[in-house]
Short mmCIF file of all heavy atoms in Angstrom, two decimals:
data_model
loop_
_atom_site.label_atom_id
_atom_site.label_comp_id
_atom_site.label_asym_id
_atom_site.label_seq_id
_atom_site.Cartn_x
_atom_site.Cartn_y
_atom_site.Cartn_z
N ASN F 305 -25.08 13.20 14.24
CA ASN F 305 -23.99 14.08 14.68
C ASN F 305 -22.61 13.53 14.33
O ASN F 305 -21.59 14.15 14.66
CB ASN F 305 -24.08 14.30 16.19
CG ASN F 305 -25.33 15.05 16.58
OD1 ASN F 305 -25.86 15.84 15.81
ND2 ASN F 305 -25.83 14.78 17.77
N ILE F 306 -22.55 12.38 13.68
CA ILE F 306 -21.27 11.78 13.30
C ILE F 306 -21.08 11.99 11.80
O ILE F 306 -21.77 11.39 10.98
CB ILE F 306 -21.21 10.28 13.67
CG1 ILE F 306 -21.38 10.13 15.18
CG2 ILE F 306 -19.91 9.65 13.18
CD1 ILE F 306 -21.48 8.70 15.66
N ASN F 307 -20.16 12.87 11.45
CA ASN F 307 -19.92 13.25 10.07
C ASN F 307 -18.97 12.26 9.39
O ASN F 307 -17.90 11.96 9.93
CB ASN F 307 -19.36 14.67 10.01
CG ASN F 307 -19.13 15.13 8.61
OD1 ASN F 307 -18.05 14.92 8.06
ND2 ASN F 307 -20.13 15.74 8.01
N VAL F 308 -19.36 11.79 8.22
CA VAL F 308 -18.55 10.81 7.49
C VAL F 308 -17.19 11.38 7.12
O VAL F 308 -16.16 10.71 7.26
CB VAL F 308 -19.31 10.29 6.24
CG1 VAL F 308 -18.42 9.37 5.41
CG2 VAL F 308 -20.60 9.58 6.65
N GLY F 309 -17.14 12.61 6.65
CA GLY F 309 -15.86 13.23 6.28
C GLY F 309 -14.92 13.33 7.47
O GLY F 309 -13.72 13.08 7.35
N THR F 310 -15.46 13.65 8.63
CA THR F 310 -14.65 13.73 9.85
C THR F 310 -14.09 12.36 10.21
O THR F 310 -12.91 12.25 10.57
CB THR F 310 -15.50 14.28 11.02
OG1 THR F 310 -16.00 15.57 10.65
CG2 THR F 310 -14.69 14.39 12.29
N VAL F 311 -14.91 11.33 10.10
CA VAL F 311 -14.44 9.97 10.40
C VAL F 311 -13.32 9.58 9.44
O VAL F 311 -12.27 9.08 9.87
CB VAL F 311 -15.60 8.94 10.31
CG1 VAL F 311 -15.07 7.51 10.45
CG2 VAL F 311 -16.67 9.22 11.36
N VAL F 312 -13.51 9.82 8.17
CA VAL F 312 -12.50 9.45 7.17
C VAL F 312 -11.19 10.20 7.42
O VAL F 312 -10.11 9.59 7.42
CB VAL F 312 -13.02 9.69 5.74
CG1 VAL F 312 -11.91 9.57 4.71
CG2 VAL F 312 -14.14 8.70 5.43
N ARG F 313 -11.27 11.49 7.67
CA ARG F 313 -10.04 12.25 7.94
C ARG F 313 -9.31 11.71 9.17
O ARG F 313 -8.09 11.66 9.20
CB ARG F 313 -10.38 13.72 8.16
CG ARG F 313 -10.62 14.49 6.90
CD ARG F 313 -10.92 15.96 7.23
NE ARG F 313 -11.28 16.70 6.06
CZ ARG F 313 -12.51 16.76 5.54
NH1 ARG F 313 -13.50 16.10 6.13
NH2 ARG F 313 -12.75 17.46 4.47
N ARG F 314 -10.06 11.33 10.19
CA ARG F 314 -9.45 10.85 11.43
C ARG F 314 -8.83 9.45 11.26
O ARG F 314 -7.78 9.15 11.82
CB ARG F 314 -10.51 10.83 12.53
CG ARG F 314 -10.09 10.22 13.83
CD ARG F 314 -8.93 10.98 14.45
NE ARG F 314 -8.37 10.13 15.49
CZ ARG F 314 -8.04 10.51 16.69
NH1 ARG F 314 -8.14 11.74 17.02
NH2 ARG F 314 -7.58 9.66 17.56
N MET F 315 -9.45 8.60 10.46
CA MET F 315 -9.01 7.21 10.38
C MET F 315 -7.99 6.95 9.27
O MET F 315 -7.24 5.99 9.35
CB MET F 315 -10.22 6.28 10.20
CG MET F 315 -11.27 6.43 11.30
SD MET F 315 -10.66 6.42 12.99
CE MET F 315 -10.36 4.69 13.22
N GLU F 316 -7.95 7.79 8.25
CA GLU F 316 -6.97 7.60 7.17
C GLU F 316 -5.59 8.01 7.65
O GLU F 316 -5.45 9.00 8.38
CB GLU F 316 -7.35 8.42 5.95
CG GLU F 316 -8.40 7.80 5.08
CD GLU F 316 -7.96 6.51 4.43
OE1 GLU F 316 -6.98 6.50 3.67
OE2 GLU F 316 -8.63 5.49 4.67
N ASP F 317 -4.58 7.28 7.22
CA ASP F 317 -3.21 7.58 7.66
C ASP F 317 -2.57 8.71 6.86
O ASP F 317 -1.72 9.43 7.36
CB ASP F 317 -2.34 6.33 7.64
CG ASP F 317 -2.31 5.63 6.30
OD1 ASP F 317 -3.06 6.04 5.39
OD2 ASP F 317 -1.55 4.67 6.15
N ASP F 318 -2.94 8.89 5.61
CA ASP F 318 -2.44 10.02 4.84
C ASP F 318 -3.30 10.23 3.61
O ASP F 318 -4.06 9.35 3.21
CB ASP F 318 -0.97 9.84 4.45
CG ASP F 318 -0.74 8.82 3.37
OD1 ASP F 318 -1.25 9.00 2.25
OD2 ASP F 318 -0.02 7.82 3.62
N PHE F 319 -3.17 11.38 3.03
CA PHE F 319 -3.88 11.71 1.80
C PHE F 319 -2.88 12.11 0.72
O PHE F 319 -3.15 12.98 -0.10
CB PHE F 319 -4.90 12.83 2.05
CG PHE F 319 -6.10 12.38 2.82
CD1 PHE F 319 -6.17 12.57 4.18
CD2 PHE F 319 -7.13 11.72 2.19
CE1 PHE F 319 -7.27 12.14 4.91
CE2 PHE F 319 -8.24 11.29 2.89
CZ PHE F 319 -8.30 11.51 4.26
N HIS F 320 -1.72 11.48 0.71
CA HIS F 320 -0.70 11.76 -0.29
C HIS F 320 -1.04 10.99 -1.56
O HIS F 320 -0.61 9.85 -1.74
CB HIS F 320 0.69 11.36 0.22
CG HIS F 320 1.09 12.11 1.45
ND1 HIS F 320 1.92 11.57 2.39
CD2 HIS F 320 0.77 13.33 1.91
CE1 HIS F 320 2.11 12.44 3.36
NE2 HIS F 320 1.42 13.51 3.09
N LEU F 321 -1.81 11.63 -2.41
CA LEU F 321 -2.23 10.95 -3.65
C LEU F 321 -1.06 10.71 -4.58
O LEU F 321 -1.03 9.73 -5.31
CB LEU F 321 -3.29 11.79 -4.37
CG LEU F 321 -4.57 12.05 -3.59
CD1 LEU F 321 -5.54 12.87 -4.44
CD2 LEU F 321 -5.21 10.77 -3.13
N VAL F 322 -0.12 11.63 -4.59
CA VAL F 322 1.09 11.50 -5.38
C VAL F 322 2.27 11.96 -4.51
O VAL F 322 2.09 12.58 -3.47
CB VAL F 322 1.03 12.33 -6.69
CG1 VAL F 322 0.06 11.71 -7.69
CG2 VAL F 322 0.64 13.77 -6.42
N GLU F 323 3.45 11.64 -4.95
CA GLU F 323 4.66 11.92 -4.18
C GLU F 323 4.78 13.38 -3.74
O GLU F 323 5.16 13.67 -2.60
CB GLU F 323 5.89 11.53 -5.01
CG GLU F 323 7.19 11.70 -4.29
CD GLU F 323 8.39 11.28 -5.14
OE1 GLU F 323 8.23 10.42 -6.01
OE2 GLU F 323 9.47 11.82 -4.90
N CYS F 324 4.40 14.30 -4.59
CA CYS F 324 4.60 15.72 -4.27
C CYS F 324 3.67 16.22 -3.16
O CYS F 324 3.87 17.31 -2.62
CB CYS F 324 4.47 16.59 -5.51
SG CYS F 324 2.89 16.48 -6.35
N PHE F 325 2.67 15.45 -2.78
CA PHE F 325 1.81 15.82 -1.65
C PHE F 325 2.55 15.64 -0.32
O PHE F 325 2.15 16.19 0.68
CB PHE F 325 0.54 14.96 -1.64
CG PHE F 325 -0.56 15.46 -2.53
CD1 PHE F 325 -0.29 15.98 -3.78
CD2 PHE F 325 -1.88 15.39 -2.13
CE1 PHE F 325 -1.31 16.42 -4.60
CE2 PHE F 325 -2.90 15.83 -2.93
CZ PHE F 325 -2.62 16.35 -4.18
N ASP F 326 3.59 14.86 -0.35
CA ASP F 326 4.38 14.58 0.86
C ASP F 326 5.65 15.44 0.80
O ASP F 326 6.67 15.03 0.25
CB ASP F 326 4.72 13.10 0.92
CG ASP F 326 5.46 12.70 2.19
OD1 ASP F 326 5.84 13.59 2.98
OD2 ASP F 326 5.67 11.49 2.37
N ARG F 327 5.58 16.61 1.38
CA ARG F 327 6.71 17.56 1.29
C ARG F 327 8.01 16.98 1.83
O ARG F 327 9.08 17.26 1.32
CB ARG F 327 6.36 18.84 2.04
CG ARG F 327 5.25 19.62 1.40
CD ARG F 327 4.85 20.79 2.26
NE ARG F 327 3.58 21.30 1.80
CZ ARG F 327 3.40 22.53 1.36
NH1 ARG F 327 4.39 23.38 1.33
NH2 ARG F 327 2.22 22.92 0.96
N GLU F 328 7.91 16.16 2.84
CA GLU F 328 9.10 15.61 3.48
C GLU F 328 9.82 14.59 2.60
O GLU F 328 11.05 14.51 2.60
CB GLU F 328 8.70 14.95 4.81
CG GLU F 328 9.88 14.49 5.65
CD GLU F 328 9.42 13.91 6.98
OE1 GLU F 328 8.50 14.48 7.58
OE2 GLU F 328 9.99 12.89 7.38
N HIS F 329 9.09 13.83 1.81
CA HIS F 329 9.69 12.76 1.01
C HIS F 329 9.61 13.00 -0.50
O HIS F 329 9.96 12.13 -1.28
CB HIS F 329 9.03 11.42 1.35
CG HIS F 329 9.24 11.02 2.77
ND1 HIS F 329 8.26 11.13 3.72
CD2 HIS F 329 10.34 10.56 3.41
CE1 HIS F 329 8.73 10.72 4.89
NE2 HIS F 329 9.99 10.38 4.73
N ASN F 330 9.16 14.17 -0.90
CA ASN F 330 9.02 14.46 -2.32
C ASN F 330 10.39 14.58 -2.99
O ASN F 330 11.22 15.37 -2.59
CB ASN F 330 8.23 15.76 -2.52
CG ASN F 330 8.04 16.09 -3.98
OD1 ASN F 330 8.11 15.24 -4.85
ND2 ASN F 330 7.80 17.35 -4.26
N ARG F 331 10.59 13.79 -4.03
CA ARG F 331 11.84 13.84 -4.80
C ARG F 331 11.56 14.10 -6.28
O ARG F 331 12.45 14.03 -7.10
CB ARG F 331 12.61 12.51 -4.67
CG ARG F 331 12.97 12.12 -3.24
CD ARG F 331 14.04 13.06 -2.67
NE ARG F 331 14.36 12.70 -1.30
CZ ARG F 331 13.92 13.32 -0.22
NH1 ARG F 331 13.13 14.36 -0.33
NH2 ARG F 331 14.24 12.93 0.99
N CYS F 332 10.32 14.42 -6.61
CA CYS F 332 9.96 14.63 -8.01
C CYS F 332 10.59 15.93 -8.51
O CYS F 332 10.34 17.01 -7.97
CB CYS F 332 8.44 14.68 -8.17
SG CYS F 332 7.94 14.91 -9.89
N PRO F 333 11.39 15.85 -9.56
CA PRO F 333 12.11 17.04 -10.03
C PRO F 333 11.22 18.09 -10.71
O PRO F 333 11.61 19.24 -10.82
CB PRO F 333 13.13 16.47 -11.02
CG PRO F 333 12.54 15.19 -11.49
CD PRO F 333 11.75 14.65 -10.32
N ILE F 334 10.02 17.71 -11.15
CA ILE F 334 9.19 18.69 -11.86
C ILE F 334 8.18 19.41 -10.95
O ILE F 334 7.40 20.24 -11.42
CB ILE F 334 8.46 18.05 -13.07
CG1 ILE F 334 7.45 16.99 -12.60
CG2 ILE F 334 9.47 17.49 -14.07
CD1 ILE F 334 6.53 16.51 -13.71
#
């Protein structure tokens, strides 16, 4: 009953693979 994807989503601090994934701090002009 313990899903690996659920654990990873809960324990990871962010999934910002690149700057533009972070809307608040994105400064990429393209």
Side-chain angles (χ1 to χ4, degrees):
N305 296 331
I306 300 174
N307 182 271
V308 175
T310 302
V311 173
V312 169
R313 281 181 185 85
R314 174 62 195 225
M315 304 312 283
E316 279 295 300
D317 55 354
D318 73 62
F319 287 97
H320 299 150
L321 300 181
V322 288
E323 183 179 333
C324 59
F325 276 40
D326 184 353
R327 293 174 195 241
E328 187 177 319
H329 298 104
N330 181 22
R331 301 291 179 258
C332 181
I334 65 169

